[in-house]
Amino acid sequence: MHTQTSRPHARQRALLRRAALFDFPASADLSPDTEAARQHTIRWLSRYGVFQDRASAAEYDALRFDVLTGLFYPRASGAELNLGNDLVGWYFVFDDQFDGELGHRPEAVARLVADVIRITEEDEAHGAARGGEGPLLESFRDLWRRINSGRPPVWRDRFRHHWLEYLHSYHREALERTGDLPGPGGGGAPRSVEAVLALRRHSIGVQPCLDLNEPFGGYTLPPALHGGFPLARMREATDDVVVFTNDIASLDKELAVGDVHNSVIVQWQRTGGDLEDAVRHIADLANARYRWFEETAARLPALLAEAGADPDTHAAVARYVDGMRHVMTGNLGWSLRTARYDERGTEAVSDGRQRPWAQLAGAEELIRAGRGASLPSPTGGARHR
């Protein structure tokens, strides 16, 4: 009895000990409408049939994705926060589809990703819902239309570009798991931390979340500013900090399921030695990225002044930088509070067990139909940036 009750506490102590290695804060700056967004998204996902019963909804609710959203967007409220929470909730539901056999079937993954991409190509005014698509695609169509409705074309192209990069990362991960990745050296597990980052910067899903800061803040960054130095590099640093934080927080869970797409695990396998040495190395990388981010943020006002930026541009960039900062510190704050990475979260996915909503994609049918499926290019098409 003592052993059973102490295990969750030991897991939490390990997480807190590892989190103490970070030099940046774990945010507690939560939107006051977080609880309302929590209830909204559970109702929204339930309406589309994501949860089969109350127990499934309760398991999802225990992960408190609404806290992650509330920390990402502490100044958002009402319909805006609801929309952000729907995006975060759908992202995690979608992500859990690949924890089982589907994640090891690249052609089936390509078919599912292509189905989602087709929804992003529908005409907003005339694209009609198709019956029988299932909870995953039907909820995504509703989410996609609400996110893009009334947005300027430059922002919609930016958001879609980032979303397609995120979707395509699932196919690449499946290729790596099966050793089918083309190119020099073949496939297999990532061989370096940089190789992990090259994929995880897309699969972590940070960029679409950052994009929402613009409509929520009532501004749209010009493409040259958004894609130029230093903002583009600051976004990459934000990706890296979130990846490293997530890899440390989810380490025990991913060791339990054998996931190779984790920078700590790759560092540990490459160097040998103690696992905690690898944890410290990855935490040091995160700290270095965050320090560079803050040093660059401090220089931004002078850089903008030298470029002749007007006051509105100064204000928009400041809000955007705050948005990146909220994502980094908010992700750490949520990681310490969610059940996804504690003992309950590890046990929930151990021994082949999947989340109750992890079969929404219809893996068996996708596997049968996926042979020969083609995947649209992540950079092709006039609507891409």
Side-chain angles (χ1 to χ4, degrees):
M1 187 69 159
H2 174 74
T3 301
Q4 290 179 342
T5 56
S6 66
R7 286 176 64 196
H9 296 295
R11 186 82 68 184
Q12 185 65 16
R13 285 197 299 271
L15 179 57
L16 291 173
R17 183 180 68 253
R18 291 166 178 168
L21 297 171
F22 294 120
D23 291 341
F24 52 92
S27 176
D29 188 9
L30 198 64
S31 166
D33 280 1
T34 298
E35 178 61 28
R38 174 188 187 182
Q39 300 299 328
H40 162 84
T41 297
I42 291 175
R43 289 193 301 269
W44 177 68
L45 291 172
S46 298
R47 188 167 71 247
Y48 282 96
V50 169
F51 307 124
Q52 296 181 348
D53 50 37
R54 290 184 178 179
S56 298
E59 183 170 334
Y60 169 90
D61 188 36
L63 305 178
R64 296 309 305 269
F65 298 127
D66 57 287
V67 170
L68 181 61
T69 306
L71 293 171
F72 274 9
Y73 311 113
R75 307 296 173 261
S77 60
E80 287 183 347
L81 193 68
N82 290 345
L83 183 61
N85 199 45
D86 289 350
L87 172 66
V88 170
W90 192 92
Y91 159 75
F92 279 101
V93 168
F94 185 70
D95 186 70
D96 286 340
Q97 305 304 304
F98 303 93
D99 285 343
E101 185 180 3
L102 179 60
H104 293 80
R105 300 284 188 145
E107 290 183 332
V109 172
R111 184 177 179 88
L112 175 57
V113 168
D115 286 342
V116 179
I117 290 175
R118 274 193 286 274
I119 292 176
T120 73
E121 296 168 345
E122 292 176 354
D123 183 275
E124 183 179 354
H126 302 101
R130 306 170 188 173
E133 286 182 307
L136 204 60
L137 296 180
E138 291 169 10
S139 58
F140 178 75
R141 176 179 284 107
D142 175 73
L143 176 65
W144 186 258
R145 290 180 179 175
R146 286 189 290 129
I147 286 177
N148 284 278
S149 178
R151 310 300 188 205
V154 65
W155 185 90
R156 294 179 62 181
D157 287 347
R158 180 180 299 159
F159 182 75
R160 185 173 185 270
H161 174 80
H162 290 151
W163 193 258
L164 264 61
E165 287 183 326
Y166 157 70
L167 291 171
H168 279 270
S169 69
Y170 285 101
H171 185 237
R172 183 179 176 90
E173 282 187 347
L175 290 171
E176 286 191 347
R177 291 189 189 101
T178 56
D180 293 334
L181 190 66
R191 293 179 172 84
S192 69
V193 170
E194 283 302 320
V196 174
L197 282 176
L199 178 60
R200 295 270 279 140
R201 283 171 182 151
H202 301 310
S203 68
I204 199 70
V206 162
Q207 295 304 316
C209 292
L210 289 179
D211 288 335
L212 288 185
N213 279 291
E214 295 177 73
F216 288 179
Y219 62 89
T220 302
L221 294 177
L225 186 59
H226 182 273
F229 183 84
L231 287 187
R233 181 64 188 89
M234 293 174 76
R235 287 200 311 278
E236 186 176 278
T238 302
D239 275 331
D240 293 355
V241 170
V242 174
V243 168
F244 291 144
T245 302
N246 180 261
D247 286 355
I248 290 174
S250 65
L251 177 60
D252 291 331
K253 179 178 78 73
E254 290 173 359
L255 285 170
V257 301
D259 196 334
V260 298
H261 295 100
N262 182 297
S263 57
V264 177
I265 295 172
V266 169
Q267 176 68 16
W268 183 38
Q269 291 173 340
R270 286 185 68 250
T271 61
D274 188 73
L275 176 63
E276 295 306 316
D277 289 338
V279 171
R280 284 188 287 272
H281 177 78
I282 297 304
D284 287 344
L285 293 180
N287 292 334
R289 300 301 204 273
Y290 190 85
R291 282 195 299 273
W292 180 88
F293 175 92
E294 291 293 5
E295 290 166 0
T296 305
R299 295 197 303 269
L300 265 176
L303 292 174
L304 289 171
E306 290 174 7
D310 59 34
D312 288 342
T313 300
H314 277 267
V317 169
R319 295 197 67 169
Y320 191 76
V321 170
D322 276 343
M324 290 187 277
R325 188 178 291 113
H326 290 317
V327 165
M328 289 185 284
T329 61
N331 178 67
L332 177 57
W334 170 75
S335 296
L336 299 177
R337 298 170 65 170
T338 180
R340 191 171 177 88
Y341 304 134
D342 65 9
E343 185 73 20
R344 292 167 294 172
T346 301
E347 291 182 350
V349 295
S350 297
D351 300 322
R353 194 259 185 185
Q354 292 181 266
R355 296 290 186 180
W357 52 83
Q359 299 297 325
L360 296 175
E364 293 183 3
E365 181 180 346
L366 279 168
I367 290 167
R368 288 196 301 270
R371 296 179 179 86
S374 61
L375 194 59
S377 167
T379 56
R383 294 185 62 186
H384 295 183
R385 185 177 59 179

